[in-house]
Amino acid sequence: MGQDNLVQHRRYIAASYVCMFLGLFTILFAVIAYFLARKVAMVEGAEVWIHAQALWVMRSIVMFLMLAIFAALWFIPLFFFVWNSAIWVTACTVAGVIFSAIAWLYLLNAWIKGLSKYSKNKAVF
């Protein structure tokens, strides 16, 4: 029975890494990856390395979502057409693009690091 649970946990984590990669393109997949990893993190009998992988995915997704929300705040002045001629609106847009790139690169780095440790069956922290 324990071996079946390990296989199921590995599938959940593998699916969460796939969704984490797709989360680079759409935030919806990042949320799905969070909930798939949460299923493994909430189990008491999971192995330590798979539990660490689940926590890594959850932590990375939460950090990515916070960075993405912060980056989205910089695009708010673009909704007001009258302000579009002001130089500070352009500066806010450039800052939003930079912070969006930082969020995207953070998730990409977390995905690469986690996937490399997952393939070796090691804890990622």
Side-chain angles (χ1 to χ4, degrees), residues 37-59:
R38 186 176 179 270
K39 282 185 176 182
V40 177
M42 299 302 282
V43 174
E44 290 185 24
E47 291 187 8
V48 174
W49 72 271
I50 201 90
H51 194 264
Q53 288 286 337
L55 291 176
W56 173 260
V57 170
M58 291 173 62
R59 175 185 162 264

Side-chain angles (χ1 to χ4, degrees), residues 4-22:
D4 292 336
N5 287 338
L6 177 64
V7 170
Q8 183 180 16
H9 295 160
R10 287 180 59 93
R11 285 183 186 152
Y12 280 141
I13 295 298
S16 69
Y17 273 118
V18 168
C19 288
M20 192 174 173
F21 177 73
L22 295 174

Side-chain angles (χ1 to χ4, degrees), residues 83-105:
W83 292 355
N84 200 17
S85 62
I87 191 74
W88 66 272
V89 175
T90 305
C92 286
T93 304
V94 170
V97 169
I98 290 170
F99 287 126
S100 296
I102 290 170
W104 190 83
L105 288 172

Side-chain angles (χ1 to χ4, degrees), residues 17 20-21 24 56 105-119 124:
Y17 273 118
M20 192 174 173
F21 177 73
L24 290 168
W56 173 260
L105 288 172
Y106 172 79
L107 189 62
L108 181 65
N109 183 39
W111 179 74
I112 291 171
K113 184 176 179 181
L115 195 63
S116 68
K117 293 288 185 171
Y118 176 75
S119 66
V124 74

Side-chain angles (χ1 to χ4, degrees), residues 1 26 45-46 51 65 103 112 125:
M1 186 69 176
T26 304
H51 194 264
L65 290 176
I112 291 171
F125 288 110

Side-chain angles (χ1 to χ4, degrees), residues 24-39:
L24 290 168
F25 308 108
T26 304
I27 289 182
L28 177 68
F29 283 110
V31 173
I32 292 170
Y34 176 84
F35 284 112
L36 286 173
R38 186 176 179 270
K39 282 185 176 182

